[in-house]
Amino acid sequence: VGGAFCVPAVLGYTDSWASSLACMGVLSEMGWELSDVADIFMTRSMAVDGKERIPNTMMFIMLIHHSMTLTLGLPLVLKYRELRELHLMTFNLQWAAAIAIAMGEYTRCLDLTKPKQLLTFRILNTIGFVIMAWMRGFQWLILSSQLATTLYNDDEWTLLLLGGVIFVLLSGFNFMLCIYPFGKKMLKFGPVSKADAVEDPSHHGDVVVVCKD
């Protein structure tokens, strides 16, 4: 939903309503992520099997995942509501996540022992890899650099320092949990035969579902 609010600004509309919608997209994502963090901590601390359901590694990954919106979201909306890089970054992160989840759920339903469904799997996985590499790889690096330049020029040292730490953490998150799994699937299932697919049906476990922003 938040990514959809950014569409007018991404398409080039510069009126105040387009920026307001994009900022609403950021704020709506903040609300969802606050509720998710609250749910994580409540489950971890109150559920009998909380530590088993949400181990330390998973909690650390999820906190990295939510770090940018929860720390930089509101300050950037207040100070840079018209900034195109903010609108594009919000759009890219959320739409890449939506596409990854949709493809992941759909490919789980495919039977790789059937040639047509195996071909569908390969096509969708290739599309997913290209989208992830573009939105959470190439575009992420460019937009983050442009945002950092803006903060530097405006002497926003606190935001720049905080943003630098988050940039490093989220870059690792994007590569390891968003781009790499699709690339791994391309190598694993690109040239495989039908027999190989039958022997190794474990492709369902490789799809990224954590990559939600």
Side-chain angles (χ1 to χ4, degrees):
V1 176
F5 283 133
C6 298
V7 170
V10 170
L11 292 178
Y13 289 95
T14 57
D15 304 282
S16 60
W17 63 268
S19 297
S20 296
L21 281 177
C23 291
M24 188 182 299
V26 177
L27 295 177
S28 69
E29 183 64 15
M30 282 183 63
W32 182 88
E33 295 194 358
L34 280 171
S35 67
D36 192 47
V37 169
D39 182 66
I40 289 172
F41 279 104
M42 289 177 64
T43 301
R44 167 100 176 176
S45 59
M46 298 182 181
V48 176
D49 58 344
K51 292 185 177 181
E52 288 72 31
R53 291 167 60 183
I54 305 178
N56 292 337
T57 302
M58 180 180 177
M59 186 170 70
F60 179 69
I61 290 173
M62 294 307 295
L63 290 178
I64 292 176
H65 169 221
H66 293 321
S67 61
M68 182 172 185
T69 304
L70 294 182
T71 57
L72 294 179
L74 188 58
L76 290 178
V77 166
L78 292 175
K79 293 175 179 274
Y80 297 101
R81 68 186 313 273
E82 306 287 344
L83 189 65
R84 181 168 173 77
E85 287 78 12
L86 174 62
H87 307 158
L88 288 171
M89 188 175 291
T90 304
F91 175 84
N92 283 352
L93 291 175
Q94 295 195 34
W95 276 97
I99 292 169
I101 294 170
M103 288 187 174
E105 293 302 317
Y106 182 78
T107 54
R108 280 188 171 87
C109 302
L110 297 177
D111 183 355
L112 299 193
T113 65
K114 298 178 179 180
K116 288 186 178 180
Q117 295 192 36
L118 178 59
L119 177 61
T120 300
F121 175 83
R122 290 171 176 169
I123 292 173
L124 289 177
N125 189 71
T126 301
I127 293 173
F129 175 78
V130 171
I131 291 173
M132 280 294 174
W134 176 257
M135 287 186 166
R136 286 194 174 245
F138 183 71
Q139 279 286 299
W140 163 256
L141 294 175
I142 290 179
L143 293 173
S144 297
S145 299
Q146 292 173 341
L147 176 59
T149 300
T150 298
L151 296 176
Y152 175 81
N153 291 336
D154 292 345
D155 295 331
E156 294 288 351
W157 303 115
T158 302
L159 291 179
L160 182 60
L161 178 60
L162 181 60
V165 174
I166 292 174
F167 168 76
V168 173
L169 293 174
L170 268 182
S171 294
F173 176 91
N174 287 340
F175 177 76
M176 293 302 300
L177 296 177
C178 299
I179 299 173
Y180 173 73
F182 281 98
K184 180 181 177 181
K185 283 172 167 291
M186 288 181 65
L187 295 176
K188 186 175 182 180
F189 290 97
V192 299
S193 64
K194 180 178 178 180
D196 294 328
V198 175
E199 292 174 2
D200 188 2
S202 61
H203 67 283
H204 301 289
D206 293 331
V207 178
V208 174
V209 295
V210 73
C211 186
K212 303 185 295 181
D213 277 288

